[in-house]
Short mmCIF file of all heavy atoms in Angstrom, two decimals:
data_model
loop_
_atom_site.label_atom_id
_atom_site.label_comp_id
_atom_site.label_asym_id
_atom_site.label_seq_id
_atom_site.Cartn_x
_atom_site.Cartn_y
_atom_site.Cartn_z
N PRO K 1 86.19 90.09 92.69
CA PRO K 1 85.46 89.29 93.68
C PRO K 1 85.96 87.85 93.78
O PRO K 1 85.77 87.20 94.81
CB PRO K 1 84.02 89.34 93.17
CG PRO K 1 83.93 90.60 92.38
CD PRO K 1 85.29 90.75 91.73
N ALA K 2 86.59 87.37 92.73
CA ALA K 2 87.11 86.00 92.75
C ALA K 2 88.37 85.87 93.59
O ALA K 2 88.77 84.75 93.94
CB ALA K 2 87.39 85.53 91.32
N THR K 3 89.01 86.98 93.92
CA THR K 3 90.22 86.97 94.72
C THR K 3 89.84 87.00 96.20
O THR K 3 89.20 87.94 96.66
CB THR K 3 91.12 88.17 94.40
OG1 THR K 3 91.44 88.14 93.01
CG2 THR K 3 92.39 88.13 95.22
N GLN K 4 90.23 85.98 96.92
CA GLN K 4 89.89 85.89 98.34
C GLN K 4 90.99 86.52 99.19
O GLN K 4 92.12 86.04 99.22
CB GLN K 4 89.70 84.43 98.75
CG GLN K 4 88.54 83.74 98.06
CD GLN K 4 88.33 82.34 98.60
OE1 GLN K 4 88.13 82.13 99.80
NE2 GLN K 4 88.37 81.37 97.70
N ILE K 5 90.62 87.61 99.86
CA ILE K 5 91.53 88.29 100.79
C ILE K 5 90.76 88.43 102.11
O ILE K 5 89.96 89.36 102.27
CB ILE K 5 91.96 89.68 100.28
CG1 ILE K 5 92.52 89.61 98.85
CG2 ILE K 5 92.98 90.30 101.24
CD1 ILE K 5 93.83 88.89 98.72
N PRO K 6 90.96 87.53 103.05
CA PRO K 6 90.20 87.60 104.30
C PRO K 6 90.43 88.91 105.05
O PRO K 6 91.54 89.46 105.05
CB PRO K 6 90.75 86.41 105.11
CG PRO K 6 91.32 85.48 104.08
CD PRO K 6 91.86 86.36 103.00
N ARG K 7 89.38 89.41 105.67
CA ARG K 7 89.47 90.61 106.49
C ARG K 7 89.56 90.21 107.96
O ARG K 7 89.06 89.16 108.37
CB ARG K 7 88.25 91.51 106.29
CG ARG K 7 88.05 91.96 104.85
CD ARG K 7 87.12 93.14 104.78
NE ARG K 7 87.78 94.36 105.28
CZ ARG K 7 87.20 95.55 105.30
NH1 ARG K 7 85.97 95.70 104.88
NH2 ARG K 7 87.86 96.60 105.76
N ILE K 8 90.21 91.05 108.75
CA ILE K 8 90.28 90.80 110.19
C ILE K 8 88.90 90.97 110.80
O ILE K 8 88.24 91.99 110.60
CB ILE K 8 91.29 91.75 110.86
CG1 ILE K 8 92.71 91.41 110.43
CG2 ILE K 8 91.18 91.67 112.38
CD1 ILE K 8 93.75 92.32 111.01
N THR K 9 88.47 89.97 111.54
CA THR K 9 87.19 90.01 112.26
C THR K 9 87.43 89.43 113.65
O THR K 9 88.50 88.88 113.96
CB THR K 9 86.12 89.18 111.55
OG1 THR K 9 86.53 87.79 111.55
CG2 THR K 9 85.92 89.64 110.11
N ALA K 10 86.42 89.50 114.48
CA ALA K 10 86.52 88.89 115.80
C ALA K 10 86.78 87.39 115.67
O ALA K 10 87.53 86.80 116.46
CB ALA K 10 85.23 89.14 116.59
N GLU K 11 86.18 86.78 114.65
CA GLU K 11 86.34 85.33 114.45
C GLU K 11 87.77 84.99 114.03
O GLU K 11 88.35 84.02 114.52
CB GLU K 11 85.35 84.83 113.40
CG GLU K 11 83.89 84.79 113.85
CD GLU K 11 83.26 86.18 113.93
OE1 GLU K 11 83.79 87.13 113.29
OE2 GLU K 11 82.25 86.31 114.63
N THR K 12 88.34 85.78 113.11
CA THR K 12 89.70 85.46 112.67
C THR K 12 90.71 85.70 113.79
O THR K 12 91.69 84.97 113.92
CB THR K 12 90.09 86.31 111.44
OG1 THR K 12 90.03 87.70 111.78
CG2 THR K 12 89.17 86.03 110.27
N LEU K 13 90.46 86.69 114.63
CA LEU K 13 91.37 86.95 115.75
C LEU K 13 91.31 85.83 116.80
O LEU K 13 92.30 85.53 117.46
CB LEU K 13 91.03 88.29 116.41
CG LEU K 13 91.36 89.54 115.60
CD1 LEU K 13 90.85 90.79 116.31
CD2 LEU K 13 92.86 89.66 115.35
N ALA K 14 90.14 85.23 116.92
CA ALA K 14 89.97 84.17 117.91
C ALA K 14 90.37 82.79 117.38
O ALA K 14 90.49 81.84 118.16
CB ALA K 14 88.51 84.14 118.37
N ALA K 15 90.57 82.69 116.09
CA ALA K 15 90.87 81.39 115.48
C ALA K 15 92.20 80.84 116.00
O ALA K 15 93.17 81.57 116.19
CB ALA K 15 90.91 81.52 113.96
N THR K 16 92.23 79.55 116.22
CA THR K 16 93.46 78.91 116.70
C THR K 16 94.29 78.36 115.54
O THR K 16 95.46 78.00 115.73
CB THR K 16 93.12 77.76 117.67
OG1 THR K 16 92.25 76.83 117.00
CG2 THR K 16 92.43 78.31 118.91
N GLU K 17 93.71 78.29 114.35
CA GLU K 17 94.43 77.82 113.17
C GLU K 17 94.26 78.81 112.04
O GLU K 17 93.21 79.46 111.92
CB GLU K 17 93.93 76.44 112.74
CG GLU K 17 94.22 75.33 113.73
CD GLU K 17 93.81 73.97 113.20
OE1 GLU K 17 93.31 73.93 112.04
OE2 GLU K 17 93.96 72.98 113.92
N MET K 18 95.28 78.91 111.22
CA MET K 18 95.24 79.79 110.06
C MET K 18 94.35 79.19 108.98
O MET K 18 94.36 77.97 108.75
CB MET K 18 96.67 79.97 109.53
CG MET K 18 96.81 80.95 108.40
SD MET K 18 98.54 81.09 107.89
CE MET K 18 99.30 81.76 109.37
N SER K 19 93.60 80.04 108.31
CA SER K 19 92.73 79.55 107.23
C SER K 19 93.58 79.13 106.03
O SER K 19 94.68 79.65 105.82
CB SER K 19 91.75 80.63 106.80
OG SER K 19 92.42 81.65 106.07
N PRO K 20 93.08 78.20 105.21
CA PRO K 20 93.82 77.79 104.01
C PRO K 20 94.09 78.96 103.06
O PRO K 20 95.14 79.00 102.41
CB PRO K 20 92.90 76.75 103.36
CG PRO K 20 92.09 76.22 104.49
CD PRO K 20 91.88 77.38 105.41
N VAL K 21 93.16 79.92 102.98
CA VAL K 21 93.35 81.06 102.10
C VAL K 21 94.53 81.91 102.58
O VAL K 21 95.40 82.30 101.79
CB VAL K 21 92.06 81.92 102.03
CG1 VAL K 21 92.33 83.21 101.26
CG2 VAL K 21 90.95 81.14 101.37
N GLN K 22 94.57 82.19 103.87
CA GLN K 22 95.69 82.98 104.41
C GLN K 22 97.00 82.22 104.26
O GLN K 22 98.03 82.80 103.92
CB GLN K 22 95.45 83.34 105.87
CG GLN K 22 96.55 84.25 106.42
CD GLN K 22 96.33 84.65 107.86
OE1 GLN K 22 95.57 84.01 108.58
NE2 GLN K 22 97.00 85.71 108.29
N ARG K 23 96.97 80.93 104.50
CA ARG K 23 98.18 80.11 104.34
C ARG K 23 98.71 80.21 102.91
O ARG K 23 99.93 80.35 102.70
CB ARG K 23 97.84 78.65 104.66
CG ARG K 23 98.98 77.65 104.53
CD ARG K 23 99.96 77.78 105.68
NE ARG K 23 101.09 78.63 105.33
CZ ARG K 23 101.92 79.14 106.23
NH1 ARG K 23 101.73 78.92 107.52
NH2 ARG K 23 102.92 79.89 105.85
N HIS K 24 97.81 80.17 101.95
CA HIS K 24 98.22 80.29 100.54
C HIS K 24 98.83 81.66 100.27
O HIS K 24 99.86 81.76 99.59
CB HIS K 24 97.03 80.06 99.63
CG HIS K 24 97.32 80.35 98.19
ND1 HIS K 24 98.12 79.55 97.40
CD2 HIS K 24 96.95 81.41 97.39
CE1 HIS K 24 98.21 80.07 96.19
NE2 HIS K 24 97.52 81.19 96.17
N LEU K 25 98.21 82.73 100.79
CA LEU K 25 98.72 84.08 100.55
C LEU K 25 100.12 84.25 101.14
O LEU K 25 101.01 84.85 100.51
CB LEU K 25 97.76 85.11 101.14
CG LEU K 25 96.41 85.25 100.46
CD1 LEU K 25 95.51 86.19 101.26
CD2 LEU K 25 96.56 85.74 99.02
N ILE K 26 100.34 83.72 102.32
CA ILE K 26 101.66 83.82 102.96
C ILE K 26 102.69 83.03 102.16
O ILE K 26 103.79 83.53 101.89
CB ILE K 26 101.59 83.32 104.41
CG1 ILE K 26 100.79 84.30 105.27
CG2 ILE K 26 103.01 83.16 104.99
CD1 ILE K 26 100.54 83.80 106.68
N ASP K 27 102.36 81.81 101.80
CA ASP K 27 103.31 80.98 101.04
C ASP K 27 103.63 81.62 99.69
O ASP K 27 104.78 81.59 99.24
CB ASP K 27 102.73 79.58 100.83
CG ASP K 27 102.66 78.78 102.12
OD1 ASP K 27 103.32 79.16 103.11
OD2 ASP K 27 101.92 77.76 102.14
N GLN K 28 102.63 82.19 99.06
CA GLN K 28 102.81 82.87 97.77
C GLN K 28 103.75 84.06 97.93
O GLN K 28 104.66 84.26 97.12
CB GLN K 28 101.45 83.30 97.25
CG GLN K 28 101.46 83.94 95.88
CD GLN K 28 100.06 84.41 95.48
OE1 GLN K 28 99.40 85.13 96.24
NE2 GLN K 28 99.61 83.99 94.30
N TRP K 29 103.52 84.86 98.97
CA TRP K 29 104.37 86.03 99.22
C TRP K 29 105.81 85.62 99.50
O TRP K 29 106.75 86.18 98.94
CB TRP K 29 103.80 86.84 100.39
CG TRP K 29 104.66 87.98 100.80
CD1 TRP K 29 105.59 87.99 101.81
CD2 TRP K 29 104.73 89.28 100.20
NE1 TRP K 29 106.22 89.21 101.88
CE2 TRP K 29 105.71 90.01 100.90
CE3 TRP K 29 104.05 89.88 99.14
CZ2 TRP K 29 106.03 91.33 100.58
CZ3 TRP K 29 104.37 91.20 98.81
CH2 TRP K 29 105.35 91.91 99.52
N LYS K 30 106.01 84.63 100.34
CA LYS K 30 107.35 84.21 100.74
C LYS K 30 108.11 83.57 99.58
O LYS K 30 109.35 83.65 99.52
CB LYS K 30 107.26 83.25 101.93
CG LYS K 30 106.81 83.92 103.21
CD LYS K 30 106.36 82.93 104.28
CE LYS K 30 107.46 82.07 104.79
NZ LYS K 30 107.00 81.24 105.94
N ALA K 31 107.39 82.95 98.66
CA ALA K 31 108.05 82.25 97.55
C ALA K 31 108.46 83.19 96.42
O ALA K 31 109.29 82.82 95.58
CB ALA K 31 107.12 81.18 96.99
N ALA K 32 107.93 84.40 96.40
CA ALA K 32 108.17 85.31 95.27
C ALA K 32 109.60 85.85 95.27
O ALA K 32 110.15 86.20 96.32
CB ALA K 32 107.18 86.46 95.32
N ASP K 33 110.18 85.93 94.09
CA ASP K 33 111.47 86.61 93.91
C ASP K 33 111.26 88.10 93.66
O ASP K 33 112.12 88.92 93.99
CB ASP K 33 112.24 86.01 92.72
CG ASP K 33 112.59 84.55 92.94
OD1 ASP K 33 113.12 84.22 94.02
OD2 ASP K 33 112.32 83.73 92.04
N LEU K 34 110.14 88.42 93.05
CA LEU K 34 109.83 89.80 92.68
C LEU K 34 108.33 90.03 92.84
O LEU K 34 107.53 89.26 92.34
CB LEU K 34 110.25 90.07 91.23
CG LEU K 34 109.82 91.40 90.60
CD1 LEU K 34 110.51 92.57 91.31
CD2 LEU K 34 110.16 91.42 89.11
N THR K 35 107.98 91.10 93.54
CA THR K 35 106.57 91.46 93.70
C THR K 35 106.37 92.88 93.18
O THR K 35 107.11 93.79 93.56
CB THR K 35 106.14 91.40 95.18
OG1 THR K 35 106.30 90.06 95.66
CG2 THR K 35 104.68 91.82 95.33
N VAL K 36 105.38 93.03 92.32
CA VAL K 36 105.03 94.34 91.76
C VAL K 36 103.66 94.72 92.33
O VAL K 36 102.68 94.02 92.11
CB VAL K 36 104.96 94.30 90.22
CG1 VAL K 36 104.71 95.70 89.67
CG2 VAL K 36 106.24 93.71 89.64
N ILE K 37 103.62 95.81 93.08
CA ILE K 37 102.38 96.31 93.68
C ILE K 37 101.99 97.59 92.94
O ILE K 37 102.75 98.55 92.93
CB ILE K 37 102.56 96.61 95.17
CG1 ILE K 37 103.02 95.35 95.92
CG2 ILE K 37 101.26 97.15 95.77
CD1 ILE K 37 103.43 95.61 97.36
N LEU K 38 100.82 97.59 92.32
CA LEU K 38 100.36 98.75 91.56
C LEU K 38 99.07 99.26 92.19
O LEU K 38 98.10 98.52 92.32
CB LEU K 38 100.13 98.38 90.10
CG LEU K 38 101.34 97.77 89.37
CD1 LEU K 38 101.16 96.27 89.20
CD2 LEU K 38 101.56 98.43 88.03
N MET K 39 99.07 100.56 92.57
CA MET K 39 97.94 101.07 93.34
C MET K 39 97.71 102.56 93.10
O MET K 39 98.67 103.33 93.04
CB MET K 39 98.22 100.85 94.84
CG MET K 39 97.05 101.15 95.75
SD MET K 39 97.59 101.53 97.45
CE MET K 39 98.08 103.27 97.24
N PRO K 40 96.45 102.97 93.00
CA PRO K 40 96.16 104.41 92.97
C PRO K 40 96.13 104.94 94.40
O PRO K 40 95.56 104.29 95.29
CB PRO K 40 94.76 104.47 92.34
CG PRO K 40 94.12 103.19 92.78
CD PRO K 40 95.23 102.16 92.85
#
């Protein structure tokens, strides 16, 4: 629950600016040399 992953909503689709949380997630993804995704 402490991990913020915004969901697509009518409000996010209508937003004219990216939220700080999404900006952080994008910057984090782009900066990574290696990403490990583990999923059932």
Side-chain angles (χ1 to χ4, degrees):
T3 302
Q4 296 185 57
I5 308 292
R7 302 197 72 178
I8 291 179
T9 64
E11 288 74 20
T12 60
L13 289 175
T16 57
E17 294 185 1
M18 185 179 297
S19 72
V21 172
Q22 184 179 19
R23 179 74 264 165
H24 172 72
L25 291 173
I26 290 173
D27 291 344
Q28 184 183 52
W29 174 265
K30 291 164 66 173
D33 297 312
L34 171 65
T35 299
V36 185
I37 302 170
L38 304 105
M39 188 203 80

